[in-house]
């Protein structure tokens, strides 16, 4: 079986078993903690996309919709039409049931596909997806495909880890360097406009020194061993993180980036 088939099966199985914020988030920390974490994500996402020219005539593409979290955010931000997509059949089937008035398509954004017309979206989002594309060539192909779908002058909103240290690889995730990601975006036809922290303490500290990564990761797993303690830890850290993401210019974990599609 090819590696890309393994990758798709991994996500088919995971989302079929856990179609919640923990299934698409930091699963080891449990659902209550992830629910608080996603509250911070929502606040950051809405703050940033509301600064874009989004209106009831805007057409948005959400790549890797998962549970539909960011589909819901786009609609809250005032987008007129949102089209969702996902790699997995299990997610697309459930998304169509949850959002009967939204179009969802099953696509692998790293492959050439004709399901969506060129330059037909005013903005696109790809949240917590790109670092799960472990092959660099497929990553680059995914960015080129997204660029093909966004109108010139349109926006691209993504989340990534943007490491200042050498890349870090696990079986289903690769955290790449900030320089490599920016170069890949520019090569695909995007101009970076800004990058802001999306989380600070409520996620794996992938861009921190090794000792802190280990210590904080162990502390998070310890306080989330049960659902009640996970809820309490999430509630406490939510209040801290929602302040930190506004005050800090960089984060040791996931950040949100806004890009503009170049061209005429």
């Amino acid at each position: 079986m090819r590696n890309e088939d393994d990758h798709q099966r991994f996500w088919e199985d995971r989302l079929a078993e856990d179609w919640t914020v923990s299934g698409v988030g930091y699963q080891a920390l449990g659902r209550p903690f992830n629910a608080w974490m996603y509250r911070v994500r929502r606040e950051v996402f809405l703050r940033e996309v509301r600064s874009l020219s989004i209106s009831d005539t805007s057409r948005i593409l959400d790549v890797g919709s998962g549970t539909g979290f960011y589909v819901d955010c786009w609609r809250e931000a005032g987008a007129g039409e949102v089209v969702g997509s996902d790699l997995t059949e299990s997610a697309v089937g459930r998304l169509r049931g949850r959002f009967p008035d939204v179009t969802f398509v099953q696509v692998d954004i790293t492959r050439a596909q004709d399901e969506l017309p060129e330059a037909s979206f005013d903005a696109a989002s790809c949240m917590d997806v790109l670092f799960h594309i472990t092959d660099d060539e497929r990553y680059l192909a995914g960015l080129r495909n997204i660029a093909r779908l966004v109108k010139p002058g349109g926006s691209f909103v993504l989340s990534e880890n943007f490491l200042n240290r050498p890349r870090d690889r696990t079986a289903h995730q690769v955290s790449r360097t900030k320089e490599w990601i920016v170069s890949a975006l520019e090569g695909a036809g995007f101009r970076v406009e800004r990058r802001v922290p999306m989380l600070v303490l409520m996620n794996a500290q992938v861009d921190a020194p090794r000792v802190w990564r280990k210590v904080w990761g162990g502390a998070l797993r310890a306080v989330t061993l049960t659902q009640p303690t996970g809820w309490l830890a999430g509630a406490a850290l939510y209040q801290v993180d929602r302040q930190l993401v506004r005050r800090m210019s960089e984060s040791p974990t996931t950040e949100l980036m806004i890009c503009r599609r170049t061209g005429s």
Side-chain angles (χ1 to χ4, degrees):
M1 183 177 289
R2 296 172 299 172
N3 288 337
E4 55 264 33
D5 294 331
D6 289 338
H7 179 73
Q8 181 166 354
R9 176 49 52 193
F10 170 82
W11 285 104
E12 288 280 9
D13 293 344
R14 176 161 165 167
L15 293 180
E17 179 182 345
D18 185 7
W19 195 63
T20 70
V21 290
S22 63
V24 296
Y26 194 160
Q27 194 172 39
L29 302 185
R31 195 174 304 171
F33 186 89
N34 274 275
W36 284 106
M37 179 198 297
Y38 270 83
R39 289 183 64 174
V40 181
R41 291 180 184 272
R42 179 182 292 273
E43 289 181 18
V44 174
F45 185 87
L46 289 174
R47 183 189 74 214
E48 294 302 316
V49 301
R50 281 173 173 156
S51 69
L52 307 177
S53 300
I54 302 300
S55 70
D56 59 4
T57 63
S58 298
R59 192 165 188 255
I60 310 297
L61 173 66
D62 182 52
V63 177
S65 296
T67 63
F69 180 84
Y70 293 103
V71 170
D72 199 42
C73 287
W74 277 116
R75 301 208 302 180
E76 186 176 344
E81 179 185 2
V82 183
V83 175
S85 70
D86 202 86
L87 173 68
T88 67
E89 181 180 357
S90 58
V92 169
R94 294 187 182 192
L95 285 164
R96 287 170 177 164
R98 179 182 175 189
F99 299 95
D101 57 338
V102 175
T103 298
F104 290 96
V105 293
Q106 184 182 356
V107 297
D108 181 347
I109 199 63
T110 70
R111 298 177 185 271
Q113 41 79 27
D114 300 318
E115 289 89 343
L116 300 167
E118 183 174 348
S120 58
F121 294 95
D122 300 291
S125 55
C126 190
M127 306 301 294
D128 304 325
V129 170
L130 291 168
F131 45 61
H132 291 299
I133 303 174
T134 56
D135 179 85
D136 284 353
E137 290 305 314
R138 294 183 66 205
Y139 187 110
L140 296 173
L143 290 183
R144 290 193 297 269
N145 287 335
I146 294 170
R148 183 183 67 82
L149 297 170
V150 176
K151 297 175 183 178
S155 299
F156 179 35
V157 186
L158 66 143
S159 62
E160 256 284 13
N161 289 325
F162 299 107
L163 296 190
N164 292 296
R165 66 182 185 87
R167 69 170 55 194
D168 192 300
R169 176 181 294 272
T170 62
H172 296 284
Q173 180 171 315
V174 176
S175 296
R176 297 171 171 90
T177 67
K178 175 177 60 180
E179 289 76 13
W180 190 94
I181 296 167
V182 169
S183 177
L185 286 163
E186 291 174 346
F190 290 110
R191 181 182 70 251
V192 175
E193 294 197 332
R194 63 183 180 275
R195 174 172 55 90
V196 299
M198 194 160 201
L199 296 164
V200 178
L201 295 175
M202 297 188 77
N203 204 0
Q205 306 287 283
V206 292
D207 203 25
R210 180 179 177 82
V211 172
W212 177 247
R213 295 200 305 270
K214 296 292 185 181
V215 168
W216 188 249
L220 285 180
R221 289 189 292 273
V223 298
T224 56
L225 282 175
T226 69
Q227 291 201 4
T229 59
W231 189 94
L232 289 170
L237 284 175
Y238 163 72
Q239 298 297 339
V240 176
D241 250 26
R242 67 195 303 256
Q243 298 300 320
L244 291 177
V245 294
R246 291 179 176 273
R247 296 176 183 178
M248 296 176 64
S249 60
E250 284 200 332
S251 166
T253 185
T254 308
E255 296 173 311
L256 180 146
M257 178 177 276
I258 303 285
C259 301
R260 186 74 62 181
R261 179 72 170 95
T262 58
S264 59

